[in-house]
């Protein structure tokens, strides 16, 4: 028994929880941005993570470029992809369904679901469904009795710093102010002269960029395949339900909470309980905080 | 009048015959069908099988075609995506036989798919040499039209792995197991064998296939301080396991990872030093007395830029060799093919293969170890290409 207490207090689990939590935070941030400003749930969000991971993988295995160096470029490509999706698909959806109509939400779900399947299978065709992985910065560092691999430290630092930077941007700048205005009251934002379309385009760019960045980090930690994106969509979805849809700052806290719940929960029970813990938290959040998803949806309609 | 009628009938019959392929001309290609999981959860695992099939077709056609009872005919594939669903594979094999009327069939990927199509093969009396399937459940398949060249059957793995651990002077062990069928099956057969052999099992735990972090589990494994860690992992979590075993500094000298290390991507994903010394399941490696094994290794490496998977590419190639040899003697007569496969002894890249019932009774259950970047057979001694060495860190 004392060995379990030692494990819990060792700091090793805290590090694991922070790595998991910060990656969840980074992935969920983008999903939440897009949901907040457009009221669209991007089911293909995890697939952007997958593409980002492939970007870093190819940069590393063909060009010998470190995933950390490639990460900003991968994020920039992600931003371009986000703009393209917004311009090519989302605007058209608004044009045909009409902004604010109830059909829009259903249609957008179908649209992103289709996009997700297309991205997965296009990746399978282009890269083959082979699992891949890369070994970068695998040195192990010790801080007290905590052992940390270089690439996990890098993932934690970059994901954490990016989340803080985006939060600061949204908290302090005029762009952030207008984004939050669109998230909270879209119609009112239009009236006070905010270019909602532009805000939404930026949300897409930022959302895809952070997802692609998360992918570049993930490529160092685990194997990647065309189908590794979906679990990230699910994890991000749980995070934003826990934190509140459209509530960016609560989402960051919720991600860390989920990372801790997963890591410590598994240590106390068994790894087989992981899904029970994750979905249990998800269901509990929906039951205890029913105002999350559905209240907002009713108001938006 | 009657003669013209008869002539027309003959003509019609000839057309019908040529479209069904029953009396195809010598230069018409041999059509070979199979289903493949190209999408869905199994899609990650199937590429080594598909690439091996493709390499075989390329080589056979480059050599002028497949020897069909003395006549050389080009090979053409007819294949469909089974979306990782065994029931879809059943429909596809039924369609391949009755609708596409293929001349020969190759195996789909994975145990559940082999088991699922067995009744279809039985019904249409269509022989198929299986490959990427391994389970004690295979022995329940009615012998006749489906055979399994693999020797990596979980009950034998339990016995042989224990014997190997004993020989390596292992006194205590930890098992961490994915909950997927193959790894659970190995666990169920391994645990009683370890007990019988007096190897103390100090830690055992399971984890789900979608595991993302193993810190908690592996911290406990480390505290157990054992001689051997048996990671009954699949390729995805094998990577995660190796990376985190390195982080936490698991020092057990005997490191076994069930599935993953036979694929070329493993060493790339975890780094050569981490892969070094890992023991895994495989019964093949290129060696001079297994004719064609080095040639297969070289041809595959040349075409695809990486070494073939020692299980999932080697087994499909063996199945193709067996089918090819049977067809050379029997032509496309299914009953004759069946008879030859079920009775004869075949020379393959994995040595001699002979079936009793559904199982290969010659190839021994074996293990390989990564040594200086190459997988060497280290168990059993009878086919070993190298001696087991304790793993020195990650």
């Amino acid at each position: 028994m004392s060995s379990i207490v030692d494990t819990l207090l060792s700091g090793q689990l805290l590090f694991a929880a922070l790595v998991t939590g910060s990656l969840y935070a980074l992935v969920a941030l983008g999903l939440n941005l897009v949901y907040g400003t457009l009221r669209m749930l991007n089911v293909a969000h995890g697939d952007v993570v997958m593409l980002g991971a492939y970007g870093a993988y190819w940069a590393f295995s063909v060009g010998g470029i470190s995933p950390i160096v490639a990460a900003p470029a991968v994020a920039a490509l992600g931003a371009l992809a986000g703009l393209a999706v917004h311009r090519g698909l989302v605007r058209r959806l608004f044009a045909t369904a009409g902004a604010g109509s109830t059909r829009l939400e259903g249609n957008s779900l179908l649209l992103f679901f289709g996009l997700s399947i297309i991205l997965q299978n296009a990746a399978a065709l282009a890269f083959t469904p082979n699992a891949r992985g890369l070994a970068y910065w695998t040195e192990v560092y010790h801080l007290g009795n905590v052992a940390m691999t270089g690439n996990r430290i890098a993932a934690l630092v970059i994901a954490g710093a990016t989340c803080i930077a985006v939060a600061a941007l949204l908290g302090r700048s005029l762009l952030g102010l207008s984004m939050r205005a669109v998230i909270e009251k879209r119609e009112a934002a239009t009236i006070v002269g905010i270019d909602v379309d532009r805000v939404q385009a930026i949300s897409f760019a930022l959302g895809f960029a952070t997802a692609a960045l998360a992918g570049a980090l993930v490529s160092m930690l685990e194997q990647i395949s065309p189908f590794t994106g979906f679990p990230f969509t699910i994890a991000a979805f749980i995070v934003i339900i826990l934190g509140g849809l459209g509530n960016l700052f609560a989402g960051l806290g919720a991600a860390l909470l989920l990372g801790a719940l997963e890591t410590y929960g598994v240590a106390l029970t068994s790894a087989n309980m992981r899904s029970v813990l994750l979905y249990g938290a998800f269901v509990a959040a929906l039951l205890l905080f029913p105002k999350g998803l559905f209240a907002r949806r009713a108001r938006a309609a | 009048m009657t003669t013209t009628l008869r002539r027309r009938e003959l003509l019609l019959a000839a057309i019908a015959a040529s479209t069904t392929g029953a009396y195809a001309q010598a230069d018409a290609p041999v059509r070979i069908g199979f289903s493949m999981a190209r999408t869905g959860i199994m899609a990650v695992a199937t590429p080594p099988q598909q690439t091996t099939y493709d390499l075989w077709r390329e080589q056979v056609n480059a050599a002028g075609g497949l020897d069909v009872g003395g006549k050389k005919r080009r090979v053409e594939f007819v294949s469909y995506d089974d979306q990782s669903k065994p029931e879809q594979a059943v429909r596809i094999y039924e369609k391949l036989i009755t609708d596409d009327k293929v001349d020969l069939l190759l195996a789909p990927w994975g145990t559940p798919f082999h088991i699922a199509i067995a009744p279809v093969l039985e019904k249409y009396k269509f022989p198929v040499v299986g490959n990427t399937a391994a389970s004690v459940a295979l022995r329940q398949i009615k012998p006749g039209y489906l055979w399994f060249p693999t020797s990596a059957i979980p009950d034998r793995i339990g016995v042989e792995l224990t014997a190997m651990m004993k020989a390596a002077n292992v006194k205590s062990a930890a098992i961490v197991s994915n909950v997927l069928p193959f790894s659970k099956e190995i666990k169920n057969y391994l645990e009683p064998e370890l007990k019988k052999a007096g190897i103390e099992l100090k830690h055992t735990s399971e984890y789900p296939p979608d595991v993302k972090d193993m810190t908690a589990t592996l911290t406990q494994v480390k505290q157990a301080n054992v001689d051997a860690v048996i990671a009954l992992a699949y390729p995805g979590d094998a990577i995660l396991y190796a990376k985190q075993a390195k982080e936490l500094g698991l020092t057990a000298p005997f490191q076994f990872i069930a599935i993953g290390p036979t694929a070329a991507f493993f060493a790339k994903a975890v780094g050569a030093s981490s892969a070094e010394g890992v023991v895994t399941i495989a019964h093949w490696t290129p060696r001079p007395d297994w004719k064609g094994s080095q040639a297969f290794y070289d041809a595959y490496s040349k075409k695809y830029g990486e070494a073939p998977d020692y299980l999932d590419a080697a087994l499909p190639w063996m199945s193709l060799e067996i089918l090819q040899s049977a067809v050379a003697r029997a032509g496309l007569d299914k009953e004759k093919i069946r008879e030859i496969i079920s009775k004869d002894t075949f020379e393959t890249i994995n040595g001699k293969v002979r079936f009793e019932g559904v199982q290969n009774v010659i190839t021994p259950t074996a293990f390989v170890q990564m040594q200086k970047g190459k997988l060497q057979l280290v168990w059993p001694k009878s086919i070993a290409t190298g001696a087991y060495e304790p793993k020195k860190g990650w």
Side-chain angles (χ1 to χ4, degrees):
Chain A
M1 202 58 210
S2 70
S3 75
I4 288 183
V5 175
D6 287 348
T7 312
L8 291 178
L9 297 176
S10 71
Q12 193 68 54
L13 287 189
L14 181 66
F15 176 63
L18 285 173
V19 173
T20 309
S22 63
L23 280 172
Y24 283 171
L26 188 59
V27 179
L29 180 70
L31 188 67
N32 220 354
L33 262 179
V34 170
Y35 182 82
T37 53
L38 287 101
R39 291 291 181 271
M40 287 180 179
L41 194 61
N42 179 8
V43 194
H45 195 68
D47 300 302
V48 181
V49 177
M50 176 270 292
L51 290 176
Y54 269 105
Y57 170 82
W58 287 118
F60 182 79
S61 52
V62 178
I65 301 163
S66 140
I68 295 170
V69 175
V74 168
L77 286 175
L80 287 178
L83 284 177
V85 168
H86 178 257
R87 186 161 289 208
L89 298 173
V90 176
R91 272 195 193 155
R92 272 164 214 265
L93 198 67
F94 274 122
T96 52
S101 91
T102 40
R103 248 175 55 206
L104 188 66
E105 209 155 327
N107 287 1
S108 71
L109 210 55
L110 287 176
L111 175 82
F112 286 122
F113 188 64
L115 187 66
S116 169
I117 291 174
I118 290 171
L119 288 180
Q120 283 177 20
N121 288 291
L125 277 178
F127 312 137
T128 76
N130 271 319
R132 292 169 197 274
L134 57 87
Y136 174 72
W137 199 2
T138 57
E139 279 87 344
V140 179
Y141 300 90
H142 291 270
L143 188 72
N145 58 355
V146 183
M148 298 174 289
T149 311
N151 54 41
R152 301 216 323 148
I153 299 173
L156 171 60
V157 169
I158 295 172
T162 310
C163 287
I164 292 167
V166 173
L169 170 81
L170 295 181
R172 308 204 165 192
S173 69
L174 191 62
L175 170 69
L177 194 66
S178 50
M179 245 179 208
R180 278 183 294 145
V182 173
I183 290 173
E184 274 160 38
K185 290 263 188 311
R186 187 159 54 194
E187 288 76 12
T190 322
I191 293 166
V192 298
I194 292 171
D195 185 347
V196 174
D197 182 64
R198 185 168 157 270
V199 166
Q200 290 175 338
I202 293 171
S203 296
F204 252 96
L206 204 53
F208 274 48
T210 48
L213 178 68
L217 301 178
V218 164
S219 75
M220 300 187 292
L221 309 185
E222 45 183 293
Q223 60 124 10
I224 52 170
S225 84
F227 311 102
T228 46
F230 187 66
F232 285 101
T233 308
I234 293 289
F237 187 60
I238 296 175
V239 165
I240 66 175
I241 292 288
L242 280 177
L245 280 159
N247 189 343
L248 301 176
F249 300 105
L252 300 184
L256 291 176
L257 188 71
L258 196 70
L261 178 76
E262 192 178 323
T263 312
Y264 288 97
V266 163
L268 285 170
T269 57
S270 103
N272 269 336
M273 292 294 286
R274 177 178 176 264
S275 296
V276 177
L277 290 167
L278 288 188
Y279 293 103
F282 178 61
V283 172
L286 280 177
L287 287 175
L288 298 173
F289 312 104
K291 282 186 186 163
L293 171 67
F294 301 102
R296 276 180 190 282
R297 185 182 276 170
R299 214 183 302 150
Chain B
M1 194 62 195
T2 47
T3 50
T4 51
L5 241 184
R6 191 160 295 160
R7 208 184 273 167
R8 193 176 292 163
E9 274 165 6
L10 272 174
L11 193 66
L12 282 172
I15 290 167
S18 68
T19 51
T20 57
Y23 296 93
Q25 294 154 1
D27 55 349
V30 177
R31 296 168 71 244
I32 305 181
F34 57 93
S35 89
M36 182 70 66
R38 296 200 172 93
T39 57
I41 53 164
M42 301 291 179
V44 183
T46 56
Q49 189 187 31
Q50 175 78 56
T51 48
T52 303
Y53 286 175
D54 289 344
L55 175 68
W56 178 79
R57 178 182 57 181
E58 189 183 284
Q59 286 194 1
V60 166
N61 285 341
L66 179 68
D67 182 349
V68 181
K71 276 202 191 91
K72 289 219 166 181
R73 287 170 59 183
R74 286 181 59 78
V75 167
E76 201 178 273
F77 282 165
V78 184
S79 75
Y80 301 95
D81 176 17
D82 58 39
Q83 302 164 340
S84 303
K85 296 175 192 150
E87 69 276 13
Q88 192 68 22
V90 169
R91 273 179 233 130
I92 290 172
Y93 277 83
E94 186 128 25
K95 175 179 154 49
L96 285 166
I97 296 169
T98 59
D99 186 35
D100 296 314
K101 299 194 185 344
V102 294
D103 300 304
L104 298 166
L105 287 170
L106 303 181
W109 189 89
T111 306
F113 296 79
H114 282 78
I115 292 176
I117 65 162
V120 179
L121 306 179
E122 178 76 30
K123 181 175 162 194
Y124 294 101
K125 305 203 179 305
F126 210 122
V128 168
V129 187
N131 46 54
T132 52
S135 164
V136 289
L138 299 178
R139 299 198 195 109
Q140 260 128 56
I141 291 174
K142 192 176 156 200
Y145 293 89
L146 190 54
W147 300 267
F148 299 98
T150 189
S151 61
I153 308 287
D155 55 347
R156 296 300 310 156
I157 290 175
V159 172
E160 293 294 327
L161 187 57
T162 304
M164 182 184 171
M165 286 162 76
K166 195 113 179 115
N169 211 13
V170 168
K171 303 265 186 274
S172 60
I175 298 180
V176 288
S177 172
N178 193 318
V179 294
L180 290 171
F182 186 59
S183 45
K184 282 209 75 164
E185 218 178 293
I186 297 175
K187 182 166 176 267
N188 291 343
Y189 285 102
L190 180 61
E191 282 180 353
E193 291 298 327
L194 291 178
K195 207 172 167 193
K196 251 192 266 169
I199 295 173
E200 189 189 355
L201 194 53
K202 285 189 173 172
H203 169 98
T204 160
S205 60
E206 295 183 346
Y207 60 84
D210 60 348
V211 63
K212 289 264 177 237
D213 186 277
M214 298 175 95
T215 305
T217 309
L218 297 189
T219 306
Q220 288 163 19
V221 170
K222 191 177 179 187
Q223 283 167 352
N225 196 19
V226 288
D227 300 332
V229 183
I230 309 299
L232 300 177
Y234 275 61
D237 35 293
I239 304 296
L240 190 66
Y241 169 79
K243 289 194 173 197
Q244 299 207 310
K246 174 170 179 167
E247 179 170 270
L248 294 168
L250 292 193
T251 48
F254 192 102
Q255 286 284 346
F256 176 88
I257 299 178
I259 319 173
T262 54
F265 99 101
F266 181 80
K268 277 190 220 156
V270 304
S273 75
S274 287
E276 188 68 17
V278 167
V279 177
T280 189
I281 303 167
H283 38 78
W284 177 79
T285 189
R287 52 183 287 160
D289 53 333
W290 289 344
K291 219 179 129 234
S293 58
Q294 189 63 46
F296 166 64
Y297 182 93
D298 293 342
Y300 190 102
S301 304
K302 187 167 170 245
K303 184 167 162 72
Y304 298 111
E306 57 182 28
D309 189 306
Y310 280 51
L311 272 177
D312 279 357
L315 279 167
W317 191 267
M318 286 164 76
S319 72
L320 289 161
E321 286 182 303
I322 292 166
L323 183 69
Q324 188 169 359
S325 157
V327 169
R329 284 171 283 163
L332 297 173
D333 183 327
K334 311 285 182 302
E335 270 313 305
K336 269 195 206 154
I337 294 175
R338 187 194 66 80
E339 210 176 293
I340 290 173
I341 295 175
S342 50
K343 284 189 185 141
D344 276 22
T345 302
F346 295 87
E347 289 289 345
T348 73
I349 54 165
N350 208 157
K352 284 188 168 48
V353 171
R354 188 170 59 81
F355 296 105
E356 268 173 28
V358 297
Q359 256 190 297
N360 172 4
V361 290
I362 295 184
T363 310
T365 300
F367 303 104
V368 291
Q369 184 180 35
M370 185 67 90
Q371 295 181 347
K372 297 193 182 73
K374 288 205 92 175
L375 289 167
Q376 301 290 352
L377 280 162
V378 290
W379 188 268
K381 293 262 160 29
S382 60
I383 56 167
T385 56
Y388 162 79
E389 289 164 17
K391 180 164 170 60
K392 297 176 198 76
W394 294 85

